[in-house]
Amino acid sequence: MASLYNTLEEKIPVWRDDAGSLLKNNGSSVISDVTLNQAYGGMRGVKGLVCDTSSVSPDTGLIIRGKPLLDIIDILPEQVLFLLLADEMPDEDALADLQSQLSEYAAVPDYIWTILNSMPEDSHPMAMFNTAILAMEKESVFRRNYDKGMSKDDFWKPMLEDGLKLIAKLPAIGAGVYRIRFQKAGLIEPDGSLDWGSNFSHMLGLNDPDGNIKKLMRLYLMIHCDHEGGNASAFTSLTIGSTLSDLYYAVSGGLNALAGPLHGLANQECLKFVLEIRDKFGGAPSRDELEQLCWDRLKNGRVIPGYGHAVLRCPDPRFTAFMNFGKEHIENDDVFHIVETLFDVVPDVLRKHGKAKNPWPNVDAASGALLYHYGLTEFSYYTVLFSISRSMGIISQIVINRALGIPIMRPKSVTTKWLKDNY
Ligand code: AMX
């Protein structure tokens, strides 16, 4: 059996050689130019990072280790974690080994419950979740080994250990945040017989007689796992990790970026938007009513949540996966119906509006409606779900960056004066 660790131990020297020869033979080749628009525009499209876990193509969307998302839509989150890190699917034994490691590491330290229980009752669930991760920093094996003195070549090993230990705890912490923040009756113990995603669903404590919530959670946690290296949360985490801060600092920091309404928090904003529509019309409005509502919103200078993307120029395959799930499992639901009609209406409206470069839905346009349908109605919680999943990609990218010895991030900024003097 090739465990995750063994697979990485075998592949990392090959990846180092690949990067080494590219640098030796083509180190000064230009892969991107930077325009003034890009310098003022969030560095959109500037190719300045290497990320092998996944790539986002404008017309296909997320591709994980060469596999388009919709081709691997049925795999478990643990399988996608293995794939992200190791560039291959685990065989049955390797998957069982990873799952048993995650169960072994799953216990959350008691002090986390003390911290979460003592946060203000109106704390945002993301602030609670990210605080819990940061508070566990003292558990870092990387930091301990670094303090003792460790070869650079070995950095990735304790990083991987920290990563698996952290990922193992996220379902219990995420479910705990839900139950504490929304005053549910106590925490629910994990069930050792369940996979990582199903266990999370079990610990949330929603009523799931036919197992559809577990199915949705496995899909949700797989789908949000990674979106290459330059998105705001991954980039933030990679920058923190590049200083040799450990994973607890890096993941918590990146997830603070995910908590912004233009990024991961858009799923909260999106459902809020859909519920406001439902309440305003007392149910699902007609296509024309919806179109008018979108125009009114745009005229007030507000964005249509769940639509547009910095890289994508097609309907997000993650949106498609959620819509397929909804069509298969959900009937007669006004909220889901509004999401379907919005998909019918918004792209044309945005095209006519003429600003958004991508008029198509992103992942956040559909996910909230499904969660709401299954009784997870507290939408300020939704970005925590996104975070549990996205931590897998962030951690995989950081482990690989440490294995490749990527140095501290330090792009160059210029002053307006310099631009005026030179252009
Ligand atoms: N509704 C209205 N206007 C939009 C829009 C939308 N959904 N998407 C983009 N625009 C506007 C921008 O605000 C910008 O206007 P400005 O020139 O007046 O500032 C203009 O179109 C050009 O923007 P862009 O280049 O197409 O997008 P971007 O790369 O700057 O931003 C994103 C991308 C996602 C932040 C933007 O599309 C947006 O705000 N969408 C709504 C929020 C959302 O769904 N976010 C989730 C993204 C996915 C994720 O990270 N979870």
Side-chain angles (χ1 to χ4, degrees):
M1 169 187 67
S3 67
L4 178 58
Y5 180 89
N6 292 343
T7 310
L8 285 173
E9 203 175 33
E10 202 178 294
K11 289 194 173 184
I12 282 170
V14 181
W15 295 341
R16 283 176 177 159
D17 283 351
D18 283 349
S21 342
L22 271 168
L23 285 170
K24 186 161 165 251
N25 300 326
N26 303 287
S28 50
S29 299
V30 176
I31 60 168
S32 202
D33 295 316
V34 184
T35 64
L36 231 141
N37 274 334
Q38 289 170 312
Y40 274 106
M43 297 189 282
R44 285 296 175 296
V46 176
K47 298 188 191 88
L49 292 168
V50 179
C51 170
D52 287 322
T53 53
S54 68
S55 60
V56 179
S57 121
D59 52 4
T60 311
L62 177 60
I63 299 169
I64 301 174
R65 291 289 192 178
K67 299 180 196 300
L69 179 77
L70 294 176
D71 290 357
I72 50 167
I73 205 67
D74 292 323
I75 68 176
L76 289 170
E78 301 91 307
Q79 287 173 295
V80 90
L81 171 63
F82 195 108
L83 176 64
L84 285 165
L85 272 160
D87 190 20
E88 64 183 51
M89 290 295 289
D91 63 18
E92 219 174 285
D93 288 344
L95 175 61
D97 182 66
L98 176 59
Q99 288 177 317
S100 96
Q101 262 185 306
L102 293 177
S103 309
E104 187 193 326
Y105 295 148
V108 176
D110 281 345
Y111 61 82
I112 293 303
W113 304 127
T114 311
I115 292 170
L116 291 179
N117 277 305
S118 57
M119 287 183 77
E121 275 179 15
D122 57 351
S123 299
H124 194 281
M126 280 300 285
M128 296 173 76
F129 188 68
N130 298 352
T131 299
I133 294 174
L134 187 59
M136 289 193 298
E137 191 279 332
K138 76 184 199 68
E139 313 292 335
S140 172
V141 182
F142 175 81
R143 204 233 303 161
R144 250 191 332 268
N145 290 6
Y146 187 84
D147 288 349
K148 276 193 229 148
M150 164 179 50
S151 159
K152 218 177 156 179
D153 284 349
D154 291 334
F155 282 175
W156 70 270
K157 296 175 184 169
M159 278 284 174
L160 177 66
E161 187 177 340
D162 278 350
L164 295 181
K165 285 182 169 163
L166 180 53
I167 289 168
K169 294 174 180 52
L170 294 182
I173 294 175
V177 165
Y178 177 67
R179 298 198 62 85
I180 292 168
R181 174 62 180 76
F182 299 104
Q183 285 139 26
K184 309 287 172 186
L187 300 177
I188 297 173
E189 287 295 315
D191 174 345
S193 70
L194 294 176
D195 61 82
W196 187 77
S198 303
N199 216 345
F200 169 61
S201 179
H202 154 75
M203 288 184 279
L204 281 174
L206 301 168
N207 183 28
D208 189 20
D210 48 12
N212 277 346
I213 305 184
K214 287 193 180 63
K215 216 189 260 178
L216 175 62
M217 286 304 165
R218 288 195 298 264
L219 178 70
Y220 196 111
L221 295 178
M222 198 291 268
I223 268 182
H224 288 82
C225 66
D226 202 34
H227 223 224
E228 69 178 40
N231 65 77
S233 49
F235 186 60
T236 306
S237 288
L238 292 175
T239 304
I240 298 174
S242 79
T243 70
L244 299 188
S245 265
D246 59 59
L247 274 180
Y248 295 89
Y249 284 122
V251 173
S252 173
L255 296 182
N256 290 330
L258 200 67
L262 295 188
H263 195 12
L265 204 81
N267 55 13
Q268 157 180 339
E269 295 295 299
C270 201
L271 189 70
K272 204 162 111 201
F273 171 56
V274 173
L275 294 183
E276 278 166 12
I277 295 175
R278 183 200 58 181
D279 294 346
K280 181 175 162 136
F281 292 95
S286 70
R287 206 182 172 285
D288 289 350
E289 287 170 321
L290 215 42
E291 189 173 333
Q292 188 53 50
L293 183 137
C294 289
W295 278 114
D296 291 345
R297 190 174 168 103
L298 290 170
K299 279 176 195 147
N300 285 329
R302 301 179 68 191
V303 297
I304 309 289
Y307 282 76
H309 200 271
V311 177
L312 288 174
R313 296 295 177 259
C314 66
D316 190 331
R318 302 170 298 175
F319 169 84
T320 308
F322 279 136
M323 292 304 278
N324 290 345
F325 186 98
K327 282 178 191 147
E328 194 180 328
H329 294 101
I330 295 181
E331 275 170 21
N332 303 325
D333 180 308
D334 277 348
V335 172
F336 187 66
H337 186 57
I338 293 171
V339 169
E340 286 185 301
T341 319
L342 279 169
F343 181 39
D344 225 22
V345 166
V346 176
D348 267 351
V349 169
L350 283 179
R351 257 189 234 109
K352 283 183 198 138
H353 184 240
K355 270 191 170 183
K357 294 193 188 69
N358 176 36
W360 297 109
N362 59 57
V363 62
D364 297 316
S367 59
L370 303 184
L371 299 169
Y372 194 81
H373 174 81
Y374 287 113
L376 191 54
T377 54
E378 298 88 352
F379 48 82
S380 65
Y381 180 71
Y382 292 173
T383 313
V384 172
L385 294 173
F386 195 150
S387 301
I388 296 174
S389 176
R390 184 52 62 87
S391 301
M392 294 193 288
I394 288 176
I395 287 169
S396 303
Q397 292 190 33
I398 293 178
V399 169
I400 291 166
N401 278 11
R402 293 295 72 72
L404 295 181
I406 305 295
I408 187 166
M409 299 272 196
R410 185 48 171 104
K412 176 88 184 88
S413 55
V414 294
T415 61
T416 310
K417 181 174 182 319
W418 182 87
L419 288 170
K420 280 159 105 180
D421 290 348
N422 284 280
Y423 298 96

